[in-house]
Amino acid sequence: MTNKSLRSRLLLLMAFIFGGLATPCAFAEEHNEEDKLDVKEIIFEHLGDGYGWEVPFVHQYRIPLPVIVKANDGSWHCFSSSRLTELIETEDMNTGKKQHHLVSVPVYVKKGDKDYTFYLSKSEKNKNKVVQLLPAADADAAIDKIDEKNNLPEFVDVEGVKYTEYKPFDISITKNVLALIIAAIVVTLMMMSVVRWYRRNGMKAPRKGTAFLEMLVEFIYDGVIKNTLGKRAPKYAPYLLTAFFFILVMNLLGLIVIFPGGANLTGNIAITIVLAVLTFIVTNINGNKHYWKEIFWPDVPLFLKFPLPIMQFIEIFGIFTKPAALCVRLFANMMGGHMIVITLILLIFIFAAFGAAVASGVTVVSLLFSIFMLLLDVLVSFIQAYVFTMLSTIFISLSTEEHEEHAAHKEEIRTPEISVSSETKTA
């Protein structure tokens, strides 16, 4: 690799790193202009989902995405998320400084002879979700009535008109949905590049990026899947390899805020739950009679399983705790990494109140630690994908191993104990 090529790659890496720092910085700076810096709101808005994709360095602007909702009468509506917000400019009376803010505005849609109004809700119940606004002309009279659940109806005031909120069925292409599609496309392209190489070049060893991908495939297949599953490896390898590369790509894309990265996918528990449920389904659907026998009639003393099914309860509970552990481990590690980086950046603005000297020192330390954490997160991204795949492989192996294999494993465990005891007797 030439020096020029090395320099260009280092510059690209630094652009991605500082791009990742840019959005929390810009967002914090925007809120710092206000009276109060809401750290919790900044962190969770950055890590959460949204109907638009934030533009790095300019947080007020967002890449619009399609909003697809089903209204209360069953009709479907599709419109751009850019219509949900409007950028307004305000001026500070004391300093004369101009500020820009995104505010929610109603979206009016006409379909046939009916008018529909949609809005990005600010209420606690539906915060930051698209809702349908239903006219409440008789709001004053309705407030005196109590519904079946003894709750007063809720009304929102939008542009001086009172409405009730109805949460429609929402299948919008949000930031996380688009990021999932992008991650799936990236994984597909990566794997197809390996396939294309062997189609064109036969068994000739690949080079560069294709060689690196093949090395990863062999590392996971030979080191994890084949070693654990043995002759059953070819059957389950497609799912396990897909899970590994999908998680790895999602983790790495989440570290890059510059589009198409930046979505905190594996830091979203809804996504990690789905991944864990897939492992749960594969494990239990393919479980053999020996696996289910060990759950409903385990090899333990009779009083532990009859008349009170103590062990059965523990084993059934264990069926659900295994995927739960997969879900929480992946979610907590990736969410934690993102939160640490954002918190380190926000320290700059929190300590700004103590003066320029303190703020300068904190800025240097925060940036250095943030870069270190981002580089560490690259390693964590691989480790978490590896651990998820390894544990999924182990769970599948335990549910599909034959009785002979199970007995052989027990014999392997007992053998060292027997040798040690015989050595003790001889001594």
Side-chain angles (χ1 to χ4, degrees):
M1 184 183 295
T2 63
N3 290 336
K4 185 177 180 181
S5 175
L6 181 60
R7 281 198 302 270
S8 63
R9 293 191 181 190
L10 286 174
L11 287 172
L12 183 61
L13 176 62
M14 294 304 293
F16 282 155
I17 291 173
F18 285 104
L21 301 178
T23 294
C25 281
F27 195 67
E29 189 174 291
E30 175 191 342
H31 282 257
N32 197 43
E33 293 172 353
E34 301 175 0
D35 296 332
K36 185 179 178 182
L37 183 68
D38 193 336
V39 175
K40 180 181 176 182
E41 182 184 349
I42 294 172
I43 291 175
F44 282 98
E45 179 152 346
H46 175 71
L47 297 178
D49 200 1
Y51 290 95
W53 206 303
E54 298 89 351
V55 177
F57 308 103
V58 189
H59 190 80
Q60 296 90 344
Y61 296 98
R62 302 187 180 188
I63 300 170
L65 299 172
V67 177
I68 307 169
V69 291
K70 184 180 181 182
N72 64 329
D73 60 357
S75 60
W76 287 93
H77 303 271
C78 181
F79 53 89
S80 172
S81 63
S82 61
R83 297 175 61 185
L84 290 169
T85 55
E86 187 177 274
L87 189 64
I88 63 169
E89 183 181 277
T90 59
E91 185 176 346
D92 193 324
M93 300 299 294
N94 297 324
T95 62
K97 188 176 182 180
K98 293 182 179 179
Q99 303 173 6
H100 295 85
H101 307 278
L102 277 176
V103 295
S104 297
V105 292
V107 177
Y108 301 103
V109 178
K110 188 172 182 64
K111 194 168 188 179
D113 58 347
K114 289 186 177 181
D115 294 320
Y116 302 87
T117 306
F118 299 98
Y119 187 69
L120 192 60
S121 177
K122 296 302 177 186
S123 65
E124 287 296 326
K125 185 178 180 182
N126 301 311
K127 191 172 183 181
N128 295 327
K129 299 294 182 183
V130 171
V131 296
Q132 182 183 358
L133 297 180
L134 303 176
D138 55 344
D140 294 331
I143 288 177
D144 297 329
K145 297 180 181 179
I146 298 178
D147 62 13
E148 296 176 357
K149 295 181 180 179
N150 295 322
N151 293 322
L152 290 174
E154 294 183 2
F155 296 95
V156 293
D157 192 300
V158 179
E159 297 183 347
V161 181
K162 284 187 178 180
Y163 295 93
T164 57
E165 288 186 351
Y166 169 79
K167 192 175 183 213
F169 184 67
D170 192 344
I171 57 169
S172 302
I173 307 298
T174 61
K175 178 181 175 180
N176 281 350
V177 173
L178 181 58
L180 279 171
I181 296 171
I182 292 171
I185 292 172
V186 170
V187 172
T188 303
L189 292 176
M190 287 166 58
M191 296 301 102
M192 290 307 296
S193 68
V194 180
V195 173
R196 281 196 303 270
W197 172 270
Y198 283 107
R199 280 181 180 173
R200 293 174 182 175
N201 302 282
M203 296 306 293
K204 184 179 178 181
R207 300 175 61 190
K208 298 182 180 179
T210 308
F212 179 72
L213 290 176
E214 186 189 42
M215 181 194 70
L216 278 180
V217 172
E218 288 184 354
F219 174 73
I220 298 300
Y221 183 77
D222 293 335
V224 178
I225 301 173
K226 193 174 180 180
N227 277 351
T228 307
L229 292 173
K231 63 182 181 181
R232 303 185 302 278
K235 180 178 179 180
Y236 300 101
Y239 165 69
L240 294 168
L241 286 171
T242 301
F244 171 78
F245 281 101
F246 192 51
I247 293 171
L248 179 61
V249 169
M250 286 193 295
N251 289 347
L252 294 176
L253 285 176
L255 300 179
I256 307 167
V257 173
I258 298 174
F259 184 83
N264 182 35
L265 291 176
T266 45
N268 185 328
I269 198 166
I271 291 172
T272 58
I273 283 175
V274 172
L275 292 170
V277 166
L278 289 175
T279 294
F280 172 81
I281 292 171
V282 173
T283 300
N284 291 284
I285 283 183
N286 292 283
N288 56 24
K289 61 181 182 181
H290 175 70
Y291 169 73
W292 292 109
K293 183 259 179 188
E294 287 294 320
I295 290 173
F296 292 106
W297 197 255
D299 187 16
V300 295
L302 184 62
F303 70 91
L304 291 175
K305 55 188 177 183
F306 183 82
L308 293 176
I310 299 173
M311 287 305 300
Q312 287 92 327
F313 175 78
I314 294 173
E315 292 290 342
I316 292 172
F317 184 68
I319 293 175
F320 298 97
T321 55
K322 290 173 184 176
L326 286 178
C327 163
V328 174
R329 179 183 286 105
L330 180 59
F331 161 74
N333 280 281
M334 299 314 299
M335 170 69 92
H338 285 272
M339 290 187 70
I340 289 171
V341 173
I342 298 172
T343 304
L344 287 170
I345 293 298
L346 290 176
L347 286 176
I348 299 171
F349 302 94
I350 293 171
F351 281 91
F354 293 92
V358 176
S360 300
V362 172
T363 300
V364 173
V365 174
S366 294
L367 286 176
L368 290 175
F369 272 101
S370 298
I371 294 170
F372 171 75
M373 283 303 304
L374 282 169
L375 295 175
L376 185 62
D377 277 344
V378 174
L379 177 62
V380 172
S381 297
F382 175 83
I383 292 173
Q384 290 306 314
Y386 177 82
V387 169
F388 186 96
T389 307
M390 180 185 67
L391 292 178
S392 296
T393 306
I394 292 171
F395 297 156
I396 293 171
S397 174
L398 291 173
S399 70
T400 57
E401 68 178 358
E402 298 299 331
H403 181 69
E404 294 77 13
E405 292 176 311
H406 185 70
H409 290 166
K410 282 188 174 180
E411 189 63 30
E412 287 176 6
I413 294 171
R414 288 182 188 141
T415 303
E417 296 176 357
I418 294 171
S419 353
V420 170
S421 59
S422 33
E423 285 174 9
T424 308
K425 287 178 181 177
T426 308

